[in-house]
Amino acid sequence: MKFLFLGDIVGKPGMNAVLQNTQRIREELDLDYVIANAENASDGSGLMPKQFERLIDSGIDGVTLGDHIFRRKEIVTTLEKSDRIVKPANYPDEASGRRWTLIKRSGRRPLAIVSIMGRVFMRPVDCPFKALDEVLAEIEPHTDQILVDVHAEATSDKQCLGRYLDGKVTAVLGTHTHVPTADTCILPGRTAFQCDVGMCGPYESIIGRDIERVTHTTRTAEPCHFHVATGDVRLCGAIVESDADGRAVKVERFEQRVIVN
């Protein structure tokens, strides 16, 4: 199997970059699946149902989310009905959404996708280790191909979860900080790993937001709305190749500068 995982889609620039380029990239790289984290698609925070539908129509096979999952309350119905999107698996059972889902395309092995939230410098959530143990037990009868999106702030948090999952899943790829890390590797148990795959959005920014506004508030403590930036739009993620047993055989960083309309 060969799949691409795209990092946090940020605002209109990130959405347009994904919508206008997913099918081209799928064909050029001969990908089985394209998965994306879309928790920042709606003006930099949250995801709206129409945006989700457009992502699926553009060729995105599945969507993961993170701490901004419920920033747009309209997404609840989508979380309840669609099998192409997941909530963080360590959110409460009462929260709308699936803890994991199985993505299937004709003639290809199915891919399970899971989102998990870290706990260091993040809002309180249930234990990610316990949640992952439960989810992996549920996935086991269905597929060996498993992608885990670790949505966390601290690299230590992501590394700990990566080591815990080594040999149990195909890939552990991080999101949330919007900055690609240079630690792409295959761990000893043949699980692909990267602390953060970066974002799909404007890199002439401060993690996707207008530089001047963020700097002003940081220097003065005067609040202002952090508009999504527009310059140097890139698609960033990681490409993973795996064998029939779901073990990673290759992983590489993915980054493309794109022109968006």
Side-chain angles (χ1 to χ4, degrees):
M1 181 181 291
K2 184 179 183 182
F3 63 84
L4 168 63
F5 177 59
L6 293 170
D8 308 56
I9 298 171
V10 178
K12 186 176 180 179
M15 275 291 295
N16 286 343
V18 172
L19 296 175
Q20 295 169 21
N21 291 279
T22 296
Q23 195 57 44
R24 171 186 62 80
I25 292 168
R26 179 192 290 280
E27 294 171 359
E28 289 178 355
L29 299 179
D30 191 24
L31 298 168
D32 294 298
Y33 296 101
V34 183
I35 309 299
N37 182 296
E39 73 139 12
N40 294 297
S42 184
D43 195 29
S45 185
L47 176 68
M48 295 291 286
K50 286 292 184 184
Q51 292 173 315
F52 169 75
E53 292 168 9
R54 293 181 70 197
L55 288 171
I56 298 301
D57 290 343
S58 75
I60 296 297
D61 296 296
V63 169
T64 61
L65 297 169
D67 56 310
H68 295 310
I69 179 174
F70 296 122
R71 187 59 62 92
R72 311 289 173 172
K73 63 182 181 181
E74 295 87 345
I75 200 63
V76 168
T77 300
T78 301
L79 287 164
E80 292 173 343
K81 293 183 177 181
S82 178
D83 61 357
R84 306 281 287 275
I85 186 170
V86 293
K87 68 178 180 180
N90 54 334
Y91 261 42
D93 291 339
E94 293 78 8
S96 299
R98 298 168 179 262
R99 300 177 82 193
W100 65 277
T101 196
L102 200 64
I103 304 299
K104 303 177 183 178
R105 294 186 68 209
S106 177
R108 295 167 171 82
R109 295 173 181 271
L111 173 67
I113 60 172
V114 182
S115 173
I116 201 77
M117 286 265 292
R119 292 188 291 185
V120 179
F121 309 130
M122 301 287 283
R123 66 177 59 187
V125 286
D126 296 338
C127 176
F129 300 96
K130 180 180 179 182
L132 286 164
D133 287 344
E134 294 171 352
V135 164
L136 294 182
E138 295 172 7
I139 293 173
E140 185 177 8
H142 302 280
T143 186
D144 293 321
Q145 312 283 342
I146 306 169
L147 164 63
V148 178
D149 170 2
V150 178
H151 199 76
E153 185 76 35
T155 52
S156 57
D157 217 8
K158 295 177 182 182
Q159 288 180 343
C160 190
L161 285 163
R163 295 290 178 172
Y164 183 74
L165 292 171
D166 186 23
K168 302 176 183 178
V169 302
T170 307
V172 177
L173 301 172
T175 56
H176 181 65
T177 63
H178 296 194
V179 179
T181 53
D183 59 342
T184 314
C185 66
I186 296 178
L187 298 173
R190 295 178 61 194
T191 290
F193 178 79
Q194 186 176 337
C195 264
D196 201 293
V197 300
M199 67 176 175
C200 295
Y203 277 74
E204 181 60 25
S205 68
I206 295 175
I207 62 171
R209 304 295 183 142
D210 180 84
I211 295 170
E212 184 176 346
R213 283 176 169 264
V214 174
T215 303
H216 173 79
T217 294
T218 303
R219 292 183 65 244
T220 67
E222 296 175 3
C224 65
H225 181 70
F226 293 164
H227 296 310
V228 174
T230 59
D232 188 13
V233 179
R234 307 183 202 178
L235 294 168
C236 285
I239 302 170
V240 177
E241 296 183 43
S242 60
D243 64 18
D245 296 321
R247 300 293 177 245
V249 297
K250 183 177 181 181
V251 59
E252 58 183 326
R253 287 176 57 189
F254 173 83
E255 181 174 338
Q256 281 191 5
R257 283 185 170 90
V258 295
I259 304 298
V260 297
N261 299 324

